[in-house]
Amino acid sequence: MGAEVTRVNGPLVETTGMRGTAMNDVVELGPARLPGEIVALEGDAATVQAYEYTGGLAPGAAAATTGRALSAPLGAHLLGGVFDGLLRPLSGAGVWLDPSARAPRADADRTEYWPVRRPRPYAERLDAGAPLHTGQRVIDLLFPVPLGGTVAVPGGFGTGKTMLLQQVAKWCDADVIVYVGCGERGNEMADVLEELAELDDPRTGGRLADRTVVIANTSNMPMMAREAGVHSGVTVAEYFRDQGRDAVVIADSTSRWAEALREFASRAGELPGEEGYPAALPSALAAFYERAGRVRTRDGAEGSVTVIGAVSPPGGDMTEPVTAYTERFVRARWSLDKDLAYSRHYPAVSWSGSFARDVPAVARAHAAAGDPEWARRRARTAGLLAEADRLTALSELVGAGTLPPAERVTLLAGRLLREGVLQQSALSSGDASCTPERTAALTDAVLDVVDRCRDLVGDGVAVTAIEDLDYAPLVRAREDAPAPADVHDRRDTVLTRLDGLR
């Protein structure tokens, strides 16, 4: 007698008669040949996680193993494509994807199949090198990530996680973008696809979509396909890394991936860990983020995979398990703050709640590229923002007017940095993305103005006159001063006005 289904509990399917199979083998279930993957074996009984809706599948239905692990078809055909979590193309598909559909097998000379749960080999792992330029000033200036780095982006509902990740996908200088929509709303994925199709790639002159691979598993798609989609995405990125390219994986969001793991573990009867998540959650997160890195390939080229994962903590609770575990395994955190978002400050990246552990390596890379002042500029900006936050809290108690003039200048410095540098409009053609040179010019312009304000206070100029000056030319430079030279002109205009106060 052949293998057959003995029990169906949502995506969990138990089968018998599966001798000769192995863990992670792909299994086809029932007359529709629904795809699934073996996740537990005991004798000839196998537990399978199904990647499609199992409605209508009943005990006694046939089950058959394919004899191979879940694998991704890798090739140049991936670029510009839109796929589900099993890398089945969605372009040209019907309103609902046929559950029995198979990923097309392209020409064997151009396609290489690789098990998605097995990292692809390389010759040597390299240290952190050049930074990934995202085009977002708050990130590139304060919380940079090197090529091959890892980032967590935690934030509650409405803080702009998806918008920030879309901006990074559209404007970062990676060779290949793998965007994994993991359990998010379908309209958000539709917006991503629409914008990618309309944008030109400044590096090639072609379409930005032509260097992007989109893996879409929205909230109305099968739950366990989310789990597979994350692994498929990083496998695709490793394939392009092995060609000597720099690839970025953007997973939005890993919390939905973890929820799929929790639901399946509950149906399988596993002992729950914290908040019901499986005890293996930390290991699963570590295995995902550890596939990032900058390497020397077996062919001698250098390539990288950078992993950026959004985290959606329920109620904005940053102590919940997915957020807490993720922070153990990443080198940077871009924490989104609801107070900033609600005050219309975008990107709402908190300069007090975020961190970047690879700043020394990035500073060396900037110095080698001709900007030896990057580290000093970053340190001074971070210091002024922290001091301004402290004084803001104090001024709310005693009133800003009671503070000494030098401290009131620090409050002014914090405001100018927030409004003139850190804020950025995704809807502005002149401000959606910013080059490293322009970011440096905007930051230096504000710091130069702050220095002049300190000098004036030291010379006895009334601080109220300094606070009442019109700084609009400097603040607006981020949107309507397209080149560093234009930024310098705006700085000089404000400096001239300040000198008129003497």
Side-chain angles (χ1 to χ4, degrees):
M1 180 181 292
E4 63 179 28
V5 173
T6 59
R7 178 172 174 259
V8 180
N9 182 8
L12 183 146
V13 179
E14 295 182 355
T15 62
T16 189
M18 301 292 286
R19 289 196 180 277
T21 59
M23 284 288 292
N24 302 125
D25 275 2
V26 172
V27 174
E28 295 175 346
L29 305 167
R33 301 170 63 195
L34 302 179
E37 183 180 5
I38 294 177
V39 295
L41 281 170
E42 185 174 353
D44 68 345
T47 301
V48 177
Q49 63 178 14
Y51 289 120
E52 290 291 353
Y53 175 60
T54 55
L57 184 66
T65 178
T66 63
R68 60 179 176 83
L70 181 64
S71 301
L74 304 175
H77 68 282
L78 294 169
L79 290 174
V82 183
F83 307 87
D84 75 346
L86 305 184
L87 284 186
R88 296 176 296 189
L90 296 179
S91 302
V95 176
W96 302 106
L97 189 65
D98 180 3
S100 62
R102 302 291 182 271
R105 289 186 175 270
D107 187 335
D109 293 336
R110 297 186 297 110
T111 304
E112 169 198 354
Y113 281 80
W114 189 266
V116 298
R117 300 184 190 281
R118 185 195 308 165
R120 289 172 61 86
Y122 50 83
E124 179 187 5
R125 196 177 187 93
L126 304 175
D127 292 335
L132 172 73
H133 296 298
T134 67
Q136 309 305 297
R137 288 186 294 270
V138 63
I139 293 172
D140 294 341
L141 174 63
L142 294 177
F143 310 109
V145 56
L147 294 171
T150 51
V151 185
V153 189
F157 177 79
T159 54
K161 291 188 303 298
T162 298
M163 176 62 75
L164 175 60
L165 294 179
Q166 289 178 11
Q167 288 297 97
V168 172
K170 287 185 289 188
W171 300 112
C172 76
D173 61 353
D175 299 315
V176 176
I177 307 295
V178 182
Y179 194 99
V180 183
C182 187
E184 294 301 300
R185 294 180 291 274
N187 61 333
E188 293 180 348
M189 287 302 304
D191 289 343
V192 172
L193 296 175
E194 183 178 1
E195 291 190 26
L196 288 176
E198 295 174 353
L199 288 172
D200 294 329
D201 187 348
R203 304 175 69 190
T204 66
R207 294 187 315 147
L208 187 61
D210 292 339
R211 65 177 173 99
T212 304
V213 181
V214 177
I215 298 177
N217 266 107
T218 53
S219 55
N220 64 329
M221 288 183 170
M223 176 193 68
M224 292 314 301
R226 301 179 196 172
E227 197 268 345
V230 168
H231 299 289
S232 296
V234 74
T235 300
V236 169
E238 288 176 343
Y239 167 74
F240 289 107
R241 174 206 70 188
D242 293 344
Q243 299 176 2
R245 304 192 199 186
D246 295 315
V248 172
V249 178
I250 297 176
D252 187 13
S253 77
T254 57
S255 293
R256 306 292 177 257
W257 172 49
E259 288 170 6
L261 295 176
R262 177 170 61 184
E263 179 171 340
F264 188 83
S266 175
R267 292 179 184 272
E270 295 183 19
L271 289 175
E274 189 176 355
E275 294 191 16
Y277 287 104
L281 176 63
S283 298
L285 288 167
F288 170 58
Y289 284 104
E290 283 172 1
R291 292 178 71 171
R294 177 170 164 262
V295 305
R296 191 180 313 282
T297 70
R298 289 183 167 185
D299 295 333
E302 291 185 8
S304 68
V305 172
T306 305
V307 175
I308 304 173
V311 186
S312 305
D317 178 15
M318 297 297 181
T319 64
E320 62 88 34
V322 180
T323 306
Y325 290 143
T326 298
E327 290 183 4
R328 297 181 185 179
F329 311 120
V330 297
R331 300 288 298 171
R333 180 179 72 183
W334 304 337
S335 183
L336 301 182
D337 184 83
K338 63 180 178 61
D339 292 333
L340 287 176
Y342 295 164
S343 65
R344 304 179 67 83
H345 178 109
Y346 292 102
V349 176
S350 169
W351 44 86
S352 61
S354 303
F355 63 78
R357 295 189 173 110
D358 291 313
V359 167
V362 172
R364 290 192 295 271
H366 276 289
D371 184 10
E373 293 297 307
W374 184 88
R376 179 201 61 80
R377 184 184 303 117
R378 177 192 179 275
R380 189 169 178 210
T381 300
L384 282 172
L385 290 169
E387 183 66 8
D389 284 349
R390 184 187 70 82
L391 292 173
T392 298
L394 180 62
S395 67
E396 291 174 353
L397 294 175
V398 301
T402 64
L403 297 177
E407 294 187 345
R408 289 169 66 174
V409 170
T410 300
L411 286 175
L412 173 64
R415 177 171 69 85
L416 293 178
L417 284 170
R418 291 192 302 271
E419 297 177 4
V421 180
L422 302 187
Q423 270 188 282
Q424 201 164 346
S425 173
L427 304 179
S428 169
S429 59
D431 199 35
S433 178
C434 194
T435 64
E437 295 77 15
R438 190 162 172 268
T439 296
L442 288 168
T443 308
D444 285 341
V446 171
L447 296 178
D448 289 345
V449 167
V450 170
D451 287 340
R452 187 63 54 87
C453 291
R454 291 191 186 281
D455 292 342
L456 292 174
V457 166
D459 292 342
V461 175
V463 69
T464 53
I466 295 173
E467 292 172 330
D468 292 340
L469 194 77
D470 180 14
Y471 295 95
L474 183 66
V475 171
R476 289 201 302 263
R478 64 183 177 85
E479 291 197 46
D480 53 18
D486 301 317
V487 175
H488 297 158
D489 290 340
R490 299 297 184 88
R491 175 202 60 192
D492 293 344
T493 297
V494 174
L495 291 177
T496 299
R497 291 179 180 178
L498 285 169
D499 288 340
L501 299 177
R502 292 183 187 274

